[in-house]
Amino acid sequence: MPSAVSTTQFRGYAIHDTKNWTSFKLIDFEPKPFEDYDIDIKIEYCGVCGSDVHTITGGWGKPALPIVPGHEIVGKAVRVGSMVSSIKVGDRVGVGAQICSCMNCAHCKNDDEQYCPKRIYTYNSRYHNAERTLSQGGYSTAVRAHEQFVFPIPDEMPLEEAAPMLCAGLTVYSPLVRNGAGKGKKVGIVGVGGLGHFAIQFAKALECDDVVVFSHSPKKRDDAMTLGATDVVFTCKDGFEEPLVGQLDLIICTANVSDSALLRGLMSTLKIHGRLIMVAMPDESLPSLMSTDLAMNGALLGGSLIGSKKEALSMLDLAVRKGVKPWIDVVPMKDCGKAVRAVKDGKIRYRRVLKMDIE
Ligand SMILES: NC(=O)c1ccc[n+]([C@@H]2O[C@H](COP(=O)([O-])OP(=O)(O)OC[C@H]3O[C@@H](n4cnc5c(N)ncnc54)[C@H](OP(=O)(O)O)[C@@H]3O)[C@@H](O)[C@H]2O)c1
Ligand SMILES: [Zn+2]
Ligand SMILES: [Zn+2]
């Protein structure tokens, strides 16, 4: 049985100023009031996501400060509300980038709760309660989340390997499945990073015929092949798209697409009515396109936000059955400043996971 954490005060590593975004200091913070469907998780590990960096650097706008990032959280349930039916104290569980939604709208009732207009993200989000409680993330001792957003971790999966699945894994699994990845399909994955290295593995696990990886890093070729790519294309080369024009059913883009030529080139590799789904959320706007760039093959450009609980559970099941595993290095949580720096500098192969070290 896990030892208890305080039910009124959690403690985490926080950024106080977006200009000093590697300088974390410990803070105590109060979670939202505990309700009937809530679960408190004593955190053991938390992955470091590219979104943590966008948030603490102010790339997506000024965050609420101080801010404790982290939304790839795993640990043990230490307190469960009176209405919780699927989780009991002591269970191995995790939380991704969302911890609450209205549970009542059409999206929430249709396994699309990540698209609920009242969604609460795991950090930097305010609850709709009277206190307007600010959510704080997983570089911390504990997290409080609604049962719908707490995922049981399969026994076969080490907790530290489960952590990055809950944002990076789910964010690519959902658009792969929703856009028909499977037998008979040729899929492209842009970027070999935290999200990208899962996308390659899940495309393979879903039995796509071809998994073409687009990368700007020639050094990642061998890694991409080991992860399951059938071909690796370097986007820095002029005309990189030419051998692939009109061939792909679907592209999942996990990297910043900085210029029009790159985006135009990627779109041209799609079959008629093929789709490019942009899951990366860079600080900058997308480059401009002429509508003729989309018209030539009737291509579609879209987006996708994390995934639903239903998808999280099927993803974890598939990962166990097909041996999908993140490539991780585990460091003490106090090294979160170095970890976010390394993510920003593109130095991680391919996910850093923080191990709880707060007394
Ligand atoms: N939609 C959602 O719900 C959601 C959820 C989670 C994360 N995200 C977003 O997804 C993005 C990726 O997150 P991550 O955690 O995978 O980050 P990451 O591990 O840092 O991966 C960064 C990616 O960017 C590419 N890259 C690095 N330097 C680059 C450069 N100079 N030019 C172009 N590409 C470069 C890398 O691929 P190569 O070296 O192979 O080119 C790598 O795929 C972030 O924008 C994050 O906010 C979105
Ligand atoms: Zn994330
Ligand atoms: Zn809703």
Side-chain angles (χ1 to χ4, degrees):
M1 195 62 59
S3 60
V5 288
S6 164
T7 55
T8 51
Q9 277 226 318
F10 299 167
R11 173 171 278 207
Y13 292 98
I15 289 296
H16 288 71
D17 175 0
T18 52
K19 289 198 188 71
N20 296 317
W21 56 270
T22 60
S23 177
F24 285 87
K25 293 191 183 68
L26 276 176
I27 60 161
D28 292 319
F29 61 91
E30 214 175 301
K32 73 179 269 296
F34 194 84
E35 290 171 85
D36 291 345
Y37 284 99
D38 283 339
I39 296 173
D40 281 357
I41 302 170
K42 183 176 191 238
I43 296 173
E44 295 187 23
Y45 298 95
C46 182
V48 179
C49 179
S51 301
D52 299 349
V53 176
H54 292 297
T55 305
I56 61 177
T57 55
W60 286 344
K62 193 172 185 320
L65 295 168
I67 183 83
V68 178
H71 60 207
E72 295 184 335
I73 299 170
V74 288
K76 305 250 169 66
V78 287
R79 185 183 183 197
V80 302
S82 59
M83 296 300 285
V84 170
S85 57
S86 62
I87 307 281
K88 55 186 190 320
V89 168
D91 284 357
R92 289 157 27 101
V93 290
V95 162
Q98 186 180 5
I99 47 169
C100 202
S101 69
C102 84
M103 302 300 296
N104 215 15
C105 70
H107 303 323
C108 286
K109 288 180 173 166
N110 197 33
D111 292 314
D112 282 327
E113 65 271 16
Q114 71 272 38
Y115 296 108
C116 173
K118 293 193 171 163
R119 79 187 80 87
I120 307 291
Y121 294 113
T122 302
Y123 60 83
N124 196 32
S125 221
R126 290 208 181 266
Y127 278 92
H128 306 288
N129 58 12
E131 299 84 356
R132 303 284 291 141
T133 311
L134 176 67
S135 61
Q136 296 282 16
Y139 299 3
S140 66
T141 52
V143 67
R144 179 166 293 168
H146 187 286
E147 178 182 19
Q148 176 68 20
F149 301 91
V150 177
F151 314 135
I153 306 301
D155 293 341
E156 301 86 341
M157 195 177 277
L159 278 184
E160 60 273 35
E161 291 182 5
M165 298 247 173
L166 305 184
C167 177
L170 183 56
T171 297
V172 295
Y173 178 81
S174 173
L176 280 167
V177 171
R178 287 181 186 226
N179 292 287
K183 277 192 181 128
K185 296 294 168 72
K186 294 187 180 199
V187 169
I189 306 297
V190 185
V192 187
L195 269 61
H197 93 299
F198 273 118
I200 301 166
Q201 294 185 72
F202 278 123
K204 184 182 176 200
L206 291 165
E207 302 181 8
C208 295
D209 287 5
D210 287 296
V211 183
V212 178
V213 170
F214 297 93
S215 174
H216 87 296
S217 311
K219 283 190 191 147
K220 293 183 183 171
R221 184 187 174 81
D222 291 349
D223 287 353
M225 296 304 285
T226 306
L227 288 160
T230 49
D231 194 7
V232 184
V233 175
F234 297 108
T235 48
C236 300
K237 282 210 245 155
D238 278 352
F240 73 89
E241 70 278 20
E242 278 160 20
L244 285 163
V245 167
Q247 292 192 23
L248 302 178
D249 295 280
L250 170 67
I251 298 174
I252 304 293
C253 183
T254 74
N256 190 3
V257 175
S258 48
D259 65 272
S260 301
L262 176 55
L263 186 53
R264 202 180 307 126
L266 290 169
M267 296 305 297
S268 76
T269 66
L270 290 168
K271 285 182 182 164
I272 294 167
H273 303 325
R275 301 176 189 186
L276 186 147
I277 306 296
M278 192 70 199
V279 291
M281 294 178 168
D283 295 346
E284 306 82 35
S285 343
L286 287 174
S288 63
L289 279 181
M290 300 290 285
S291 44
T292 47
D293 297 328
L294 301 174
M296 291 308 143
N297 52 357
L300 292 104
L301 177 59
S304 183
L305 184 67
I306 43 179
S308 66
K309 181 170 198 171
K310 192 175 173 197
E311 287 164 335
L313 300 184
S314 67
M315 169 194 70
L316 291 168
D317 177 61
L318 182 70
V320 169
R321 284 190 288 109
K322 298 284 184 93
V324 173
K325 283 174 191 285
W327 295 13
I328 55 172
D329 60 84
V330 180
V331 301
M333 201 168 272
K334 68 176 168 46
D335 290 342
C336 49
K338 287 184 202 150
V340 291
R341 174 89 255 170
V343 172
K344 177 86 173 158
D345 293 345
K347 297 240 168 83
I348 308 283
R349 300 285 182 276
Y350 287 97
R351 207 47 147 191
R352 188 152 293 173
V353 175
L354 306 172
K355 185 175 193 311
M356 167 53 52
D357 60 4
I358 302 170
E359 298 295 322

